[in-house]
Amino acid sequence: MTKILVPYDFSEQAQYALDFCTALANRLDNVHVEVLHVLEIPANTGFGTMGGGEMIPEMENQIFFVELTNRRKNQMQELDEKFKNSSFKFTTRIKMGNAFKGIHESIKEENPDLVVMGSQGSSGIEEIFVGSNTEKVVRNATCPVVTVKHPIDPKDIKKIVFASDFRENSAEVAARVKRLQHLFDAELYFVIVNTPGTFETSRESLQRIKYFTKEFHFESVKAEIYNSLSEEGGIIEFAEDIKADMIAMATHGRTGFMHLITGSIAEDVVNHAKRPVWTFRAKE
C-alpha cells in the first residue's frame, strides 16, 4: 500500500494540498491517505494579552484551548465522513505539541511514501531566521515531499523540471525521479543552471546530463543549460519559461550551523516558486 501523509492546519494552502492528494489517490490503486493535524499547546504563561492590552487569565486560555480542540475533532470527523466511501483508505489523526515536531515524528513513526503539504512561503527576516514548518519538513523528511501553494490537479502535471548539477549520480535519486515521472506520465526536463560563480561550458554540463540519462535509462527527457545569476532564480525562471507544471529537486538536508552558512537551494525554491515542488533528501 502507498501511504501519503498530509499535514493539515485548516489553511487555504493545506486544503489545496489535500485536494491534490485525494485527486492523486483516486488515480492510483491501494493508497492510504492520512491527514495529520498538530494542535499546538499554548505556553503556560499564567496570563495572555489581547489586542487592547487586556489581560486574559490562564483559565480563559485553557477554556479556549478545550473549545478549539473540540472544534478540530469535529472538523476531522467531517473529513472522515466526506471520504469514507472513497476508492482509497482515508484516516485522520490529531497530535498535540509543536507543529514541525509532530509532523517529523509522524514521518519517522509511520514511514510514509510521500508527504504532501501546503506552503505559504516566507521572506525577509522570517525566511532567514525562522523559516516555515514546510521548509523544515523538506530539510529533514526521509521521504519525498510535494509542496503546494495553489490549486492544481495531478492530471495536469505533464512537464516536470528536474534541476541538479548531475555531479553525484545517485541510483536512489534516479529511481525516485523515475517513479515521479511514471506517477504523472510526464515529460522530464533535466536542467543545469549556469551562474557566474559556477560557470562551465555548455558542453561540460550536457555531458554530465547525458551520462546520468544513459546510466539510469531515462526516456522522454530533454537536456537544458540555463544561465542565471543564482541557482534558485535560474530554476524558477526556467520552469516559468517552459511553463513547467512541477519542479523536482534533491536536497542534502543540512541542518544547524552548516545550513545557515550554505543555505539550501531546494528550500529557497520551495519558498519562492509558484509551482508545486517535489523534493527528496538524498543521502550524504
Side-chain angles (χ1 to χ4, degrees):
M1 177 172 283
T2 300
K3 184 165 188 178
I4 306 175
L5 180 68
V6 186
Y8 192 77
D9 63 1
F10 296 92
S11 67
E12 197 172 37
Q13 287 75 20
Q15 188 59 50
Y16 298 152
L18 179 57
D19 291 343
F20 176 89
C21 179
T22 54
L24 182 62
N26 273 322
R27 300 174 59 197
L28 305 173
D29 296 324
N30 207 23
V31 176
H32 176 194
V33 174
E34 177 169 288
V35 175
L36 171 69
H37 177 66
V38 182
L39 198 56
E40 299 216 31
I41 302 171
N44 184 15
T45 55
F47 288 89
T49 59
M50 289 187 68
E54 301 172 61
M55 304 301 289
I56 310 175
E58 183 183 340
M59 181 58 69
E60 289 190 23
N61 278 335
Q62 291 176 0
I63 292 171
F64 171 78
F65 182 68
V66 170
E67 291 175 346
L68 177 63
T69 301
N70 290 332
R71 185 160 70 250
R72 293 305 190 216
K73 285 180 178 177
N74 290 334
Q75 289 172 310
M76 296 294 262
Q77 286 173 359
E78 289 172 5
L79 285 177
D80 280 323
E81 185 67 23
K82 180 178 179 181
F83 293 104
K84 70 178 182 180
N85 295 320
S86 299
S87 61
F88 50 87
K89 181 180 178 183
F90 185 90
T91 58
T92 59
R93 184 181 179 194
I94 294 179
K95 293 186 75 168
M96 303 286 186
N98 172 269
F100 165 69
K101 186 177 179 182
I103 297 167
H104 184 60
E105 287 175 351
S106 291
I107 293 172
K108 288 175 65 178
E109 293 164 3
E110 301 179 38
N111 195 29
D113 300 285
L114 179 67
V115 172
V116 179
M117 64 188 300
S119 172
Q120 292 181 315
S122 57
S123 59
I125 295 297
E126 180 190 13
E127 181 179 358
I128 295 170
F129 293 106
V130 181
S132 66
N133 287 319
T134 307
E135 285 178 78
K136 294 173 187 174
V137 172
V138 164
R139 189 186 315 155
N140 292 280
T142 51
C143 65
V145 179
V146 173
T147 54
V148 178
K149 290 181 183 172
H150 304 284
I152 184 164
D153 193 317
K155 68 178 174 57
D156 294 329
I157 295 178
K158 293 299 178 187
K159 195 182 290 186
I160 298 174
V161 169
F162 177 61
S164 174
D165 60 11
F166 296 92
R167 294 184 186 278
E168 298 175 17
N169 291 329
S170 164
E172 184 184 19
V173 170
R176 295 281 188 176
V177 174
K178 274 193 170 185
R179 283 186 212 132
L180 179 69
Q181 182 184 27
H182 177 73
L183 182 63
F184 296 105
D185 189 25
E187 182 179 29
L188 277 178
Y189 284 73
F190 285 170
V191 62
I192 290 176
V193 175
N194 214 357
T195 67
T198 59
F199 177 80
E200 64 179 5
T201 66
S202 295
R203 185 178 185 182
E204 290 175 286
S205 298
L206 285 172
Q207 282 177 343
R208 288 205 306 279
I209 294 178
K210 288 177 181 177
Y211 180 82
F212 182 84
T213 302
K214 184 177 180 180
E215 182 178 7
F216 297 111
H217 310 289
F218 278 94
E219 297 178 357
S220 298
V221 170
K222 292 185 178 180
E224 299 282 350
I225 310 301
Y226 193 86
N227 298 319
S228 186
L229 295 176
S230 71
E231 288 93 340
E232 170 223 327
I235 293 165
I236 293 172
E237 291 158 10
F238 176 71
E240 289 175 351
D241 287 352
I242 68 164
K243 295 181 171 56
D245 305 303
M246 177 179 279
I247 296 170
M249 301 183 66
T251 176
H252 287 293
R254 294 185 181 90
T255 58
F257 186 65
M258 281 305 296
H259 178 262
L260 290 175
I261 292 175
T262 61
S264 169
I265 297 169
E267 287 171 46
D268 289 341
V269 171
V270 165
N271 230 345
H272 300 130
K274 297 176 182 177
R275 290 158 173 76
V277 181
W278 175 98
T279 55
F280 173 68
R281 180 179 170 182
K283 294 177 182 176
E284 297 190 66

